[in-house]
Amino acid sequence: MAESSDTLADRAYRELRSSIVAGRLEPGSPIVEADLAALLGVSRTPVREALRRCELEGYLGRHGNGRLEVVAPTREMVEQLFDVRIMVEEYAARLAAERISDAELARLESLVEEDFRALGRPHSDRLAELNGEIHGTVLEASRNRTLVLIMRSFEGRPHGLQVFAVGDPEHRRRFVDDHRNLVSLLRDGDVDGAGRLIRSHLERAREVLLAGLPSSGR
């Protein structure tokens, strides 16, 4: 049974967005509808819908000549996203310190163990994935659905720019240390400590990302 147009459009959207978020399509890369359709093995109709959605969400933009291309993260984008992330995740960490379950703590401990193992690997992709899983688990442990929904709207942003790809090995080790210390604070029910740690953790991540962007990007 052939996939519906809507299903094909959804798949094209997911694959296109994933390629942008992961940096496989670099900022400034031109997007040609026919080429993308051939790459995904679908007709141009679902690709057109996927392109429209990605443009509306800010992943793609129009160049001066009307050409569609991958939008490059700017300093302003990074600063604004992290301003909101810090507020949301600090509050979520404080709530999690009061509400986290034993099962969630066990999951976090397992993720942190893998986090440390991933430090020794030559590529940072798994570190980035683990970072998302750790922060996501803390958010879920807050038991606040609104906070979770807010953060889901930020998934993959700033797109094409991962702190683990920009920072040096010492930065990466400090981020992983933060994760381990956060789990300890959550286990102890230290509300203030968990909030302070996640704030400093995200502030440092923002600094690393900003340092990797050109000063003229504002």
Side-chain angles (χ1 to χ4, degrees), residues 8-9 11-13 15-16 25 30-51:
L8 288 171
R11 180 167 69 83
Y13 163 76
E15 293 189 19
L16 175 58
L25 286 174
I31 302 295
V32 179
E33 186 179 293
D35 292 347
L36 188 60
L39 178 66
L40 298 177
V42 298
S43 70
R44 295 175 67 166
T45 299
V47 166
R48 196 172 296 122
E49 173 62 18
L51 293 174

Side-chain angles (χ1 to χ4, degrees), residues 52-211:
R52 186 188 68 82
R53 288 176 64 180
C54 283
E55 187 175 2
L56 285 173
E57 293 176 4
Y59 294 103
L60 301 175
R62 297 283 173 181
H63 195 265
N65 60 7
R67 183 184 66 188
L68 199 60
E69 61 183 32
V70 178
V71 171
T74 64
R75 296 180 67 83
E76 182 179 24
M77 179 191 299
V78 171
E79 288 170 350
Q80 290 181 358
L81 285 170
F82 271 85
D83 283 346
V84 177
R85 277 196 66 184
I86 288 167
M87 288 189 292
V88 171
E89 292 201 50
E90 180 179 3
Y91 183 43
R94 294 174 65 88
L95 291 176
E98 298 177 326
R99 303 173 178 180
I100 194 165
S101 68
D102 288 342
E104 287 164 333
L105 282 167
R107 171 168 167 72
L108 283 173
E109 288 170 347
S110 176
L111 289 170
V112 168
E113 287 178 8
E114 188 176 351
D115 218 12
F116 274 94
R117 291 195 296 271
L119 276 174
R121 298 171 190 164
H123 302 295
S124 59
D125 289 355
R126 185 54 183 153
L127 275 175
E129 292 173 359
L130 287 164
N131 180 70
E133 291 176 34
I134 289 167
H135 283 253
T137 302
V138 175
L139 277 164
E140 293 287 346
S142 75
R143 304 288 183 269
N144 188 308
R145 182 170 174 77
T146 299
L147 296 182
V148 174
L149 291 174
I150 290 171
M151 288 308 302
R152 280 182 181 167
S153 71
F154 290 162
E155 285 179 357
R157 296 174 186 267
H159 50 271
L161 188 61
Q162 292 286 356
V163 66
F164 295 101
V166 176
D168 60 27
E170 181 56 29
H171 285 127
R172 292 193 283 274
R173 176 163 290 279
R174 289 187 67 185
F175 290 132
V176 172
D177 282 336
D178 281 349
H179 291 156
R180 178 176 59 185
N181 293 332
L182 178 61
V183 175
S184 179
L185 291 167
L186 293 174
R187 181 171 288 284
D188 292 342
D190 189 337
V191 173
D192 292 336
R196 283 194 301 269
L197 189 146
I198 203 70
R199 170 174 282 273
S200 65
H201 176 79
L202 291 172
E203 287 175 344
R204 191 180 316 120
R206 177 172 58 188
E207 290 172 4
V208 171
L209 286 171
L210 289 174

